[in-house]
Amino acid sequence: MIKLKDILLEGLSKNKVQSIVDRVFPQIVQDRGEGRQGVPEIKLHHDIYARHSGIDDMSGEDSETSEAEWDHKKNTIWIYYPNMKNEEDVIRTVLHEFEHTHQDPKKNEKYREMGYDNNPYEMAARNAEKKWRDYL
């Protein structure tokens, strides 16, 4: 039996997340310009562990909290759509990850040693998220 609380706790549907991305991403690219490797592709996936392992039903400790990541080797932004709670989450996520496409992946390896909160690239990405209302 499906309970109301389970429905309310679910994230946005894959189609809804894709619809938001399709609407806002072209404007974000127009406003910010292409990334270092050109305009990245944005793909949706249901789980970070499943994507990395290639095992569809794989999950792990970060499955319910991982929102997105930029794969600089393939210039692809991956959004883990079950963890998107609302339109704000989607827009913030796209802005955050798109900011990373403008950054040097080699420097990011060094900056990661500083921890997430002190990493200047993560600070810039979190700052980029603040413009999310511009894309409503």
Side-chain angles (χ1 to χ4, degrees), residues 12-26 28 42 44 79 84-92 94 135-136:
L12 298 175
S13 71
K14 183 177 182 179
N15 288 340
K16 181 64 176 172
V17 172
Q18 187 66 60
S19 174
I20 295 167
V21 169
D22 290 346
R23 190 185 82 241
V24 303
F25 189 53
I28 291 170
I42 296 183
L44 307 184
I79 297 177
M84 297 290 104
K85 296 171 201 69
N86 53 43
E87 186 174 18
E88 177 183 345
D89 272 356
V90 177
I91 297 170
R92 281 178 157 305
V94 172
Y135 300 96
L136 288 175

Side-chain angles (χ1 to χ4, degrees), residues 4-136:
L4 180 60
K5 74 175 183 101
D6 293 332
I7 293 170
L8 293 175
L9 292 176
E10 283 182 9
L12 298 175
S13 71
K14 183 177 182 179
N15 288 340
K16 181 64 176 172
V17 172
Q18 187 66 60
S19 174
I20 295 167
V21 169
D22 290 346
R23 190 185 82 241
V24 303
F25 189 53
Q27 187 64 48
I28 291 170
V29 171
Q30 183 177 326
D31 292 351
R32 289 280 293 123
E34 294 185 2
R36 293 171 64 98
Q37 300 173 41
V39 177
E41 185 174 8
I42 296 183
K43 294 184 177 181
L44 307 184
H45 204 286
H46 67 276
D47 188 277
I48 188 170
Y49 292 96
R51 186 180 84 72
H52 282 280
S53 70
I55 302 169
D56 195 51
D57 62 350
M58 179 70 75
S59 64
E61 63 187 39
D62 297 319
S63 290
E64 294 181 11
T65 57
S66 294
E67 295 180 343
E69 62 185 325
W70 174 55
D71 178 348
H72 73 273
K73 292 177 183 167
K74 295 184 178 178
N75 195 27
T76 300
I77 294 171
W78 288 95
I79 297 177
Y80 302 108
Y81 65 87
N83 297 332
M84 297 290 104
K85 296 171 201 69
N86 53 43
E87 186 174 18
E88 177 183 345
D89 272 356
V90 177
I91 297 170
R92 281 178 157 305
T93 296
V94 172
L95 286 165
H96 182 109
E97 298 306 325
F98 190 61
E99 180 66 23
H100 289 314
T101 73
H102 290 85
Q103 300 166 344
D104 183 347
K106 291 179 183 169
K107 284 185 182 178
N108 191 44
E109 293 301 318
K110 184 180 103 178
Y111 291 155
R112 285 179 152 217
E113 296 171 8
M114 303 168 80
Y116 186 82
D117 290 336
N118 298 318
N119 179 332
Y121 279 179
E122 290 300 339
M123 286 188 231
R126 287 190 301 269
N127 194 48
E129 291 181 38
K130 294 177 183 176
K131 297 181 189 221
W132 72 271
R133 285 184 183 87
D134 294 350
Y135 300 96
L136 288 175

